[in-house]
Amino acid sequence: MTLDFTCQKCEGTFEIDAQDLIDGSEKLECPHCNTRAPANVVDDFVAALTEMRAQVAALSKRFTLSTTLESEDLAELDADEDEDDDDDDEDDVDEDDEDDEDDEDDDDDDDDEDLDEDDEDLEDEDEEK
């Protein structure tokens, strides 16, 4: 599987064989201006390629696959994920607020228990007198 890249910096194009990228014999680097992707992004990309190849192999028993994936098509996907992340953050805040309320209720219960124990101690003192 051949991957076609266009450098965002110099707009140069180049190809890399997916297997070479997966096995590490080829680096994701623009041959024109030497721009590189961050290592963590490359690692995630290689992991995704490896998984995709495995899934395509499983499908190949029933179907053939030909695909083109354009980075521009993913801009909409990125925007959707950002919205989902924002929603998740709001949910986290709500859950934290509920946890705080539960903690306050628990504290009240502890205070009640302490008062009960104090009352018992006072009663014991009164009986001794």
Side-chain angles (χ1 to χ4, degrees):
M1 172 170 45
T2 302
L3 304 171
D4 297 315
F5 292 93
T6 301
C7 179
Q8 295 291 334
K9 184 177 179 182
C10 72
E11 297 184 9
T13 59
F14 59 100
E15 294 180 347
I16 298 177
D17 184 77
Q19 186 57 45
D20 292 343
L21 192 58
I22 290 169
D23 65 23
S25 63
E26 186 88 35
K27 300 290 181 202
L28 184 49
E29 178 179 353
C30 176
H32 308 290
C33 69
N34 299 324
T35 296
R36 294 181 182 181
N40 63 327
V41 173
V42 173
D43 291 344
D44 290 346
F45 182 66
V46 167
L49 273 177
T50 303
E51 179 64 21
M52 183 178 172
R53 288 180 53 156
Q55 296 303 320
V56 169
L59 286 172
S60 69
K61 296 173 184 162
R62 303 267 180 180
F63 304 100
T64 59
L65 174 69
S66 175
T67 185
T68 301
L69 181 63
E70 301 289 337
S71 297
E72 293 83 22
D73 296 341
L74 300 177
E76 185 178 302
L77 179 63
D78 288 340
D80 290 345
E81 286 181 3
D82 288 343
E83 289 175 10
D84 290 343
D85 288 345
D86 292 343
D87 292 345
D88 290 345
D89 291 343
E90 290 173 9
D91 291 344
D92 290 345
V93 169
D94 293 341
E95 290 173 9
D96 289 342
D97 291 343
E98 290 173 8
D99 289 343
D100 290 343
E101 290 173 7
D102 290 343
D103 290 345
E104 289 173 8
D105 291 343
D106 291 344
D107 290 343
D108 291 343
D109 292 343
D110 291 343
D111 291 342
D112 291 344
E113 290 174 12
D114 290 342
L115 288 175
D116 291 342
E117 290 175 7
D118 290 341
D119 289 343
E120 290 174 7
D121 290 341
L122 287 174
E123 289 174 5
D124 290 342
E125 287 177 9
D126 287 340
E127 288 176 6
E128 290 175 4
K129 289 181 183 178

